[in-house]
Amino acid sequence: MPSAKVCAVIVTFNGIKWIEKCIDSLEKSTVKVDIFVIDNGSTDGTFQYLQKRDCCKFLHQAEENLGFGKANNIAIKQGYNQDYEFFLLLNQDAWIEENVIEDLILKMHTETGYGISSPLHFNGGGTALDTLFESYLSRMDSYQKDLNAQSVKDQLYTSRFINAACWLLTRNTLKEVGLFHPLFDHYGEDDNYLDRLHFMNLKLGLAPNIKVYHDRENSGVNSLKNDPDRLYKRTIMRYLLDPSRKEHWIQSLQQSSKISKKISKQFSGFSKFRFRIRCFFKYYEISSTVKNFERNRKSELHVH
């Protein structure tokens, strides 16, 4: 295969029960990969383990939990400035088969138009597809057609969404699309990134014959992901930041109402009404933040 300079970017936060498997899988890769880690202030010994193991070309501990996107941005900029050609974003609770990076690079060399590629995502035990990932696959018509016909091809299948637990990005993708949006703190970063990827006429590809194992079923209850206020914020922010959006502010306000109505279904009685009122006022705060970013901070998206 063509030679390639590859770095793996991992964001850690209290990931001691997974990090050894994650690092081991990268060190067994058939393609040499340099490891860049940003630790988001772990208190369980994750950062100390990485220091002692001395496996990282770049290791940095943030003073606070920056979230997924902003922490990734720190390492991506380091790698970009060191002329890496490919960037593997890998969750701390995930590990790859040894041929994953080589196979993805080969496919992205031979198949045109892809800015990001990803393997099949299995659960941590390797016994079945990751549950949420399986729902993404159900929306991929071409893949489902070949799967049903038992004729899945060794190629990239175009997808609208695959979560960022294991993404391989090209250097050109970072140049064209940029970094993760800094207005997202926890969750929503990958949705927004893919909105921008598609806007730039780049594709997201699934490689169905290689595997990554994602042990998120053992991560426990995720209050950051499930909190309804946070869910409303990242959903309306994704809508407002979609580069293809051209609606008038009235349509945007109507969309906000639809989003809050959908989320409020988990409440009952007065709590439902109170949540929707809160979202109404929250919309103006978020809208103002987005407009301010677009006017004054858009350069933060560029990798340099």
Side-chain angles (χ1 to χ4, degrees), residues 9-14 37-42 60-76 89-92 164 180-190 222 224-225 230 234:
V9 176
I10 307 166
V11 174
T12 57
F13 178 71
N14 291 342
V37 176
I38 302 295
D39 183 77
N40 267 335
S42 294
H60 171 77
Q61 186 170 46
E63 295 181 358
E64 60 179 340
N65 191 338
L66 300 173
F68 179 81
K70 284 182 278 190
N72 264 294
N73 287 349
I74 293 172
I76 288 171
L89 308 189
L90 187 64
N91 272 24
Q92 65 174 2
F180 285 104
H181 205 296
L183 290 186
F184 293 89
D185 47 15
H186 299 279
Y187 299 98
E189 304 97 331
D190 48 2
N222 194 326
L224 290 175
K225 186 174 183 179
R230 286 181 173 272
R234 66 176 178 263

Side-chain angles (χ1 to χ4, degrees), residues 5 13 37 52 59 82 89 97 101 124 156 173-174 179-180 182 186 190 194 237 246 256 260 263 269-270 292:
K5 190 176 179 183
F13 178 71
V37 176
K52 185 176 180 181
L59 176 62
Q82 294 178 41
L89 308 189
E97 293 189 332
I101 298 174
L156 292 177
T173 299
L174 293 172
L179 298 164
F180 285 104
H186 299 279
D190 48 2
L194 292 177
M237 195 155 61
K246 298 178 181 178
S256 169
S260 64
I263 297 173
F270 183 70
N292 178 66

Side-chain angles (χ1 to χ4, degrees), residues 239-257:
Y239 169 77
L240 292 172
L241 287 168
D242 188 337
S244 64
R245 184 181 69 87
K246 298 178 181 178
E247 290 90 346
H248 189 269
W249 69 269
I250 295 176
Q251 283 75 40
S252 298
L253 193 57
Q254 289 172 338
Q255 182 68 14
S256 169
S257 179

